[in-house]
Amino acid sequence: MTPIKNTIINKNTTISPIWFMRQAGRYLPEFRNIREKNKNFIKLCLDSDLASEITLQPLNRFNLDAAIIFSDILMVPYGLNQKVEFKKNFGPTLGNLNMNNLSKISENDFKKKLNPIYKLIQKTKLNNITKNKDIIGFIGAPWTLALYMINKISPKKNEINNVLNDLNKVKDLIQILNKYLKIHILNQVENGASIIQIFDSWAGLLDDKHLNDFVYSPTSELVTFTKSLNIPVICFPRGIKNYKNYCEEVNPDVINIDYEIDPHKIKKDINICVQGGLDPKILLTNKENIKKEAKKYLDIFVDQPYIFNLGHGILPETNPDMVEYLVNFVKNY
Ligand code: 1CP
């Protein structure tokens, strides 16, 4: 059994396995090197060979327990024929959403468009370096994807009142998305993903009154589906105020916490396996501080299954030496 599954399934607490969100990315010079020669981000995600190489880059450097596939949550809107572009220093920009066309897309066309992602997973699994490690596949949660698809740019850049003006549209879109998200989960699993993470990066923007329809109910459907495949599922509802309610309603195997929530409160409220929490900005400081902050999380969750990770992705300006220091500290603790 892999170290991460030993923690999730056997509830082992003697070691904390470790991996990082955005462990493959811009903080690595070897990633920037490939990225410079491949300006089109979507195309890069669809190049199975390069995407597999990028997936393995952090494993070649650090003693990590999982590979997370190099892809993006916005590959699903792309698979549903919405235009998706990544503009330098701006982030994603999506084309117009056509709800009529969306309901006419065939499952086969969707699968065909995303097939290079499944090939990349196969390829990654064949590499010896992933032996006894997990390969983490992922999806964006229906709410976060619906938000990008309707808003067409990151909600960091504008107010999202326009999105919440048409609640029926959001609901319809979430329902369509769930159908394709199940297909995307199934295909990732059939091609070698051993764990699925669901990223709800914008769950924290919603008022309580929308949580049931937009977050709890559709996400719990995907969690049930993933569990039926015998695959553990990690949920990351970033910025949500009440993690306890979320866990009760959605029932994931693992809850990834963000860096704004007090881990002592999580420890008191939640008894399932916890992942993450450490503020990625800590990696921009110094070794003493990294050690102190990492120790805090390891000590709080000492008698609870805990997977070490951050409270959001590694920042592009992070020094890889600090990542190496953190991995070794956690592994030897
Ligand atoms: O070189 C570049 O400019 C690309 C930067 C980049 C990378 C490395 C983007 C654009 N996506 C990715 C890969 C990625 N995205 C992974 C790969 C695996 C890994 O973690 O190493 C994963 C899991 C994601 C997931 C993702 N994409 C999320 C959920 C997690 C999160 O960060 O909250 C979201 C919201 C996206 C959208 C997206 N893609 C890229 C960016 C810059 C963004 C965020 C835009 C925004 O702020 O709204």
Side-chain angles (χ1 to χ4, degrees), residues 135-285:
I135 297 179
I136 301 180
F138 65 87
I139 57 160
W143 155 248
T144 287
L145 287 182
L147 177 57
Y148 277 111
M149 290 169 82
I150 298 173
N151 196 48
K152 301 194 286 184
I153 55 173
S154 171
K156 268 185 209 161
K157 311 268 177 193
N158 66 350
E159 296 278 327
I160 59 152
N161 302 336
N162 60 317
V163 174
L164 292 170
N165 267 343
D166 192 344
L167 297 177
N168 283 329
K169 186 175 180 179
V170 181
K171 268 186 218 164
D172 291 346
L173 181 54
I174 282 179
Q175 199 174 2
I176 298 170
L177 276 169
N178 257 22
K179 173 176 154 196
Y180 292 97
L181 288 172
K182 283 180 195 160
I183 297 171
H184 193 41
I185 291 172
L186 181 64
N187 288 331
Q188 292 184 68
V189 168
E190 283 182 340
N191 287 286
S194 58
I195 293 180
I196 292 290
Q197 176 143 335
I198 302 180
F199 288 98
D200 211 345
S201 305
W202 302 110
L205 294 182
L206 286 170
D207 288 337
D208 286 355
K209 63 175 188 244
H210 295 310
L211 283 178
N212 192 52
D213 283 353
F214 295 169
V215 173
Y216 298 160
S217 163
T219 312
S220 91
E221 198 180 306
L222 297 171
V223 165
T224 304
F225 177 77
T226 309
K227 286 180 172 178
S228 78
L229 306 173
N230 249 322
I231 293 289
V233 52
I234 306 171
C235 286
F236 182 29
R238 186 165 68 91
I240 208 147
K241 281 129 228 131
N242 196 328
Y243 274 94
K244 184 168 185 273
N245 271 356
Y246 181 92
C247 287
E248 284 166 1
E249 298 290 336
V250 175
N251 215 6
D253 293 295
V254 182
I255 184 76
N256 193 116
I257 56 174
D258 66 75
Y259 55 86
E260 285 183 347
I261 193 86
D262 176 7
H264 290 103
K265 181 168 164 50
I266 295 290
K267 167 80 190 175
K268 193 162 84 17
D269 286 351
I270 290 175
N271 53 29
I272 65 168
C273 180
V274 172
Q275 172 173 286
L278 182 72
D279 189 338
K281 287 190 284 298
I282 299 292
L283 280 169
L284 307 180
T285 62

Side-chain angles (χ1 to χ4, degrees), residues 21-26 31 35 41 68-74 86 92 138 148 154 156 199 201-202 238 312:
M21 294 187 278
R22 290 282 163 96
Q23 64 188 26
R26 282 174 293 183
F31 171 79
R35 183 75 170 102
F41 183 75
I68 178 160
I69 63 162
F70 179 73
S71 186
D72 200 88
I73 63 166
L74 298 176
F86 287 86
F138 65 87
Y148 277 111
S154 171
K156 268 185 209 161
F199 288 98
S201 305
W202 302 110
R238 186 165 68 91
H312 200 192

